[in-house]
Amino acid sequence: MFAVAGLVIGAFLGAWRAKRRGGDRRDMFQYAASHAILFALIGLFLTLFIHRALV
């Protein structure tokens, strides 16, 4: 669940960051994709860590 939340939050933050820097639509898509992947990976590792700590 953290991975999906990280994916969505990362996409929004990446698009917002590109727009703030004056990027066009392609820049916003690239930033959104890269941030979504990064945040999803962080969420995945967080999920694995929590699951292994509780079990």
Side-chain angles (χ1 to χ4, degrees):
M1 194 55 131
F2 289 115
V4 176
L7 183 88
V8 173
I9 292 170
F12 281 125
L13 286 177
W16 175 73
R17 185 176 182 192
K19 186 174 179 100
R20 188 180 64 177
R21 291 182 173 206
D24 61 358
R25 191 179 315 174
R26 292 176 294 166
D27 293 328
M28 289 172 60
F29 180 74
Q30 183 178 1
Y31 270 64
S34 62
H35 280 71
I37 291 169
L38 175 68
F39 278 56
L41 282 173
I42 291 171
L44 176 66
F45 286 122
L46 181 65
T47 301
L48 290 173
F49 176 74
I50 290 172
H51 179 58
R52 291 191 182 252
L54 295 178
V55 174

